[in-house]
Amino acid sequence: MRENIMVIDDDEKITSMLRRGLAFEGYSVETASNGAEGLKQMLKSEPNLLILDVMMPQIDGWEVVRRIRESGSEVPILMLTAKDEISDRVKGLDLGADDYLVKPFALEELLARVRVLLRRRTERTEQPTNRLIFEDTTLDLDTREVFRGDKLIELTTKEFDLLHLFMQNPKRVLSRDIIMEKIWGYDYSGESNVLEVYIALLRQKTEEYGHKRLIQTVRGAGYVLRGEN
């Protein structure tokens, strides 16, 4: 699927040049001639990247950036301006723009900056999350908190690690040996019932307030995180 780039600029020559150049590179391109029109289009579908002029009628580029960032959008923004003042660049960056290019500019440089911004966006979205979710259960690795619905569940370190292992492997049967190795290492003998004790404690805490069972016993095979049918 082609990445979509929106160009908001009241200079028809620049808009036309960017549309042709970006389309030639394989991007899908939308255009708007002023800030108000551009914001309206972004309500319908957010682009993968925004190229934005500063000086425009109705709503200028700075105000467009401010509104976009206040809405919570993290779309990469490359600002274009005829002004070469440091204060103007700083203002745009402080408002939330990602890069700045002063007019007149070479198309090759703009395309290079577009590739960098899109690559950063991809790298950011592909970073592993520190939060695991299974049905109504959320496990946060940063805060080491667990919620079922909106209820915070207080877990010990081992209980948390055990649940974390299950949530990393949802609907996969984990044998007793695998769990013991991952959580406790080889310190416990095969006769130890420490796992059974912790499974019981974890079930007791996660099933409070009428919540259904998360961790099921698979007789002769181990345990699995799959909830009740």
Side-chain angles (χ1 to χ4, degrees), residues 128-218:
T129 179
N130 286 325
R131 181 175 293 180
L132 300 177
I133 299 174
F134 180 81
E135 295 185 352
D136 62 346
T137 303
T138 302
L139 182 146
D140 193 313
L141 289 168
D142 289 331
T143 63
R144 293 187 70 85
E145 291 179 327
V146 174
F147 290 86
R148 286 208 75 176
D150 58 358
K151 180 65 179 178
L152 176 64
I153 301 172
E154 300 287 348
L155 298 180
T156 65
T157 299
K158 286 299 184 187
E159 290 167 352
F160 182 93
D161 293 342
L162 184 57
L163 181 60
H164 180 212
L165 178 62
F166 280 115
M167 292 189 69
Q168 285 180 306
N169 300 274
K171 300 184 179 181
R172 175 188 170 190
V173 177
L174 301 177
S175 70
R176 187 179 191 280
D177 289 343
I178 288 176
I179 299 172
M180 292 295 293
E181 177 186 346
K182 296 290 187 181
I183 305 301
W184 284 278
Y186 293 99
D187 295 334
Y188 288 88
S189 69
E191 299 302 318
S192 172
N193 69 340
V194 65
L195 176 58
E196 288 70 24
V197 170
Y198 272 90
I199 290 289
L201 290 170
L202 193 53
R203 282 173 171 167
Q204 180 182 350
K205 291 183 177 182
T206 58
E207 293 169 23
E208 286 183 326
Y209 309 104
H211 288 294
K212 67 181 183 180
R213 174 161 291 185
L214 282 175
I215 302 170
Q216 302 292 324
T217 301
V218 181

Side-chain angles (χ1 to χ4, degrees), residues 90-141:
V90 170
K91 181 176 181 178
L93 294 172
D94 282 345
L95 286 169
D98 296 276
D99 200 359
Y100 230 102
L101 195 56
V102 177
K103 298 177 181 179
F105 55 84
L107 179 61
E108 291 79 6
E109 181 179 4
L110 180 136
L111 292 173
R113 295 188 184 216
V114 164
R115 288 192 293 271
V116 169
L117 290 174
L118 288 173
R119 185 166 64 247
R120 287 179 187 169
R121 176 189 174 97
T122 300
E123 290 171 352
R124 186 166 62 243
T125 56
E126 289 181 349
Q127 287 179 349
T129 179
N130 286 325
R131 181 175 293 180
L132 300 177
I133 299 174
F134 180 81
E135 295 185 352
D136 62 346
T137 303
T138 302
L139 182 146
D140 193 313
L141 289 168

Side-chain angles (χ1 to χ4, degrees), residues 215-227:
I215 302 170
Q216 302 292 324
T217 301
V218 181
R219 195 171 299 278
Y223 300 93
V224 59
L225 177 75
R226 68 181 175 208

Side-chain angles (χ1 to χ4, degrees), residues 28-94:
S28 171
V29 185
E30 296 180 64
T31 63
S33 59
N34 59 69
E37 180 185 344
L39 286 170
K40 186 176 180 180
Q41 286 184 220
M42 287 193 66
L43 289 175
K44 299 178 182 177
S45 61
E46 181 173 292
N48 298 107
L49 184 141
L50 175 62
I51 298 175
L52 176 65
D53 187 31
V54 171
M55 304 307 295
M56 294 184 294
Q58 298 186 38
I59 301 177
D60 64 28
W62 287 318
E63 179 64 14
V64 171
V65 173
R66 187 186 68 78
R67 294 191 188 185
I68 288 174
R69 293 302 184 233
E70 283 186 351
S71 73
S73 171
E74 296 182 356
V75 59
I77 299 175
L78 171 60
M79 297 199 77
L80 306 177
T81 180
K83 295 185 176 183
D84 194 19
E85 296 292 333
I86 296 296
S87 59
D88 290 322
R89 300 188 204 182
V90 170
K91 181 176 181 178
L93 294 172
D94 282 345

